[in-house]
Every structure is written in C-alpha cells, then in structure tokens.
Amino acid sequence: MTGRMRHRQRRNVLALGAGLLGAALIGSAEAEDADFLMLPPAPPTPGPEILGGEKSDPKAWPATLRFDGPGGTLCTATLVGARVILTASHCMRDGAVGRAFIIDDWVDVRCEPVLSDVTLCLIVSPFVPPEGLRFERLSANTPPLRVSDALLLQGYGCVTPEGTRRGELFQGGAVVETLPGRWPIIRTRGGAAVCPGDSGGPAYRVFSARRREIVGLNTAGDQVVTSEISAIAHAEVRAVISTWASAPGRAICGINERSELCHD
C-alpha cells in the first residue's frame, strides 16, 4: 500500500445520494482485537440522514456487518462465503485477529490483505451459517462495467458532511466516472461519497430485484460527491482472491462457493 493510498484512506468519508442505493463499511487501520457485528434492524430515529440518502433495512442485507474497533473507530464488512468476511485493508492489519457476531453467535476471524485496500478475513472458529442466510457474490465483471453505470453503496458511516455518525445502515448511489486502469480503482461522482465508517463496505452493481454483485469496496472520497472504490473484478485483484480462495475452507461466492449458498 503506497503512502498516497494511505493518505487518501485517512480522508475516507461517505455521504450517500438521493434516490440511489448504497453499501456498508467498517474499519480501523490499527484494529487487532476488533468486533464485526451483524446488527438487528434499528428502530426509526429522528435527526439528520446521510446526505441525500436513505436508511437501508438490515433484514434485506443480512450479510452486511458493522465493525467497531478500538478508540471508537467504525467500518463495514460483508460475509461472502461460509467462512469468509470481506473488508478494507486499512480496517484490519495483516494477521489481525478479531471477532464477528453473525446472527446469534460469536466467531473468531483472522485477516489477510489482498490488493488495493482489499482484505479477506477467515473465520477460524467452528461456525455453521444460520439457515436461510445467503452470502453476497463477488463480481466477475460480466457484462463489463461501463462509465455512467450506477453503483449501490451502503455503510455504517457518516450521515452529514461534517462527519456526524449514527451507527445505522444507510444507502445511497453513485455513478461510475472512470474505470480501473493501471490501478484497480473505480472512481464515482455524484449521489454518494464515502465517509469515515463506510470503509470496507461493498459497492454493488444491481441487475434486478433478485440479482446483485459486489464490484468493489469503499476506499476513499472527498465527503461530498467523489468516491474511490477498490475494484474486485480487476484481473490482478481477482487472481489473488481466487488463489486465496483455492485453499480448503476458503470458498467465496462468485469465485468457487456453491451457488445455493450465494445471493443471486
């Protein structure tokens, strides 16, 4: 990870956009004994919302996790396989150990960075996925992502440009402005911009009411209209993820996990 990337990550901010959809994030660059929480639906509360965004029903996104780290840090993550959690590298260091609360049980996890601020966390304690829970699917970039495509972002981060937090799952949308090139980064503009607490959360491409795929992870932004998304389907990133997932017990939806366990 370059110093330039670290600088951008410290500026992470998420403000979600009107009438568009979103993805949730969690993290702390220094977290070692951190917790991922799969939260029950939060009751409606008054107050400011994510800039132009809307609340997201956690029941509709049961694989989206909130992460509370040391010092009150906040990130987001996603369950993408029976034993695999996906988040940002600046949320969990290489080899970091934490715990995840999934529906009704605590599990232990160990995290390893991939590329471009992408980290995979392996559940290392006994864990049986709750009946009916489906894991989110990583994109294979088919059909190819295009400039002007809409992305769905979700996060447990900011709800105002000033950085105010609520700890509830919100969603908003953004439009692809530039595609990955030499660096596996998708840049978006308009509607939503990543904010502290949203880091590591998924950026989705939604094809229908039933079909969606994670195209990347919220990484950085200007807190107003621009976001940087680490591209999951970038050839180099996907190759490393595929190699990591080829070991026993590391299956990932969209890579090598059984289809009946994965969201369409």
Side-chain angles (χ1 to χ4, degrees):
M1 184 185 307
T2 67
R4 179 169 172 265
M5 282 298 294
R6 286 195 295 269
H7 175 73
R8 286 202 301 266
Q9 290 156 5
R10 283 195 292 268
R11 295 186 292 107
N12 271 6
V13 283
L14 172 57
L16 299 181
L20 299 171
L21 300 179
L25 309 113
I26 54 180
S28 163
E30 304 302 325
E32 288 199 25
D33 297 312
D35 295 336
F36 295 95
L37 301 176
M38 182 171 287
L39 300 180
T45 56
E49 296 182 353
I50 280 181
L51 189 62
E54 59 188 15
K55 283 187 180 179
S56 180
D57 182 3
K59 287 184 177 179
W61 304 89
T64 300
L65 312 177
R66 167 180 164 170
F67 163 67
D68 292 295
T73 56
L74 174 68
C75 271
T76 306
T78 310
L79 193 64
V80 294
R83 305 189 69 81
V84 182
I85 292 171
L86 178 71
T87 190
S89 298
H90 72 270
C91 293
M92 293 292 283
R93 294 191 310 208
D94 184 12
V97 175
R99 294 192 305 160
F101 188 76
I102 302 175
I103 305 299
D104 59 2
D105 192 19
W106 285 102
V107 295
D108 299 320
V109 300
R110 183 176 297 277
C111 302
E112 301 176 28
V114 180
L115 285 174
S116 186
D117 204 29
V118 176
T119 277
L120 293 167
C121 299
L122 180 67
I123 298 173
V124 295
S125 59
F127 171 63
V128 177
E131 185 176 355
L133 174 63
R134 289 194 173 189
F135 319 122
E136 298 294 347
R137 184 186 300 272
L138 302 192
S139 172
N141 201 31
T142 304
L145 189 66
R146 300 171 300 178
V147 171
S148 79
D149 279 352
L151 298 185
L152 166 67
L153 311 178
Q154 288 181 324
Y156 282 97
C158 299
V159 296
T160 71
E162 294 76 26
T164 305
R165 298 182 181 180
R166 289 174 60 154
E168 297 176 65
L169 184 60
F170 272 68
Q171 63 184 27
V175 176
V176 175
E177 182 180 49
T178 62
L179 297 172
R182 178 181 178 185
W183 298 102
I185 295 293
I186 301 165
R187 289 184 173 84
T188 66
R189 176 172 291 274
V194 294
C195 176
D198 300 314
S199 295
Y204 288 93
R205 185 157 53 158
V206 179
F207 297 97
S208 68
R210 292 180 55 87
R211 185 186 170 206
R212 63 195 186 217
E213 294 180 340
I214 297 174
V215 299
L217 297 183
N218 300 327
T219 295
D222 65 2
Q223 193 178 359
V224 182
V225 294
T226 301
S227 298
E228 294 187 358
I229 309 296
S230 295
I232 293 295
H234 186 276
E236 293 181 20
V237 177
R238 190 173 177 88
V240 176
I241 292 176
S242 296
T243 298
W244 187 93
S246 65
R250 295 185 174 187
I252 296 175
C253 292
I255 303 292
N256 58 351
E257 180 62 278
R258 291 180 294 154
S259 59
E260 63 268 23
L261 298 177
C262 304
H263 197 283
D264 294 337

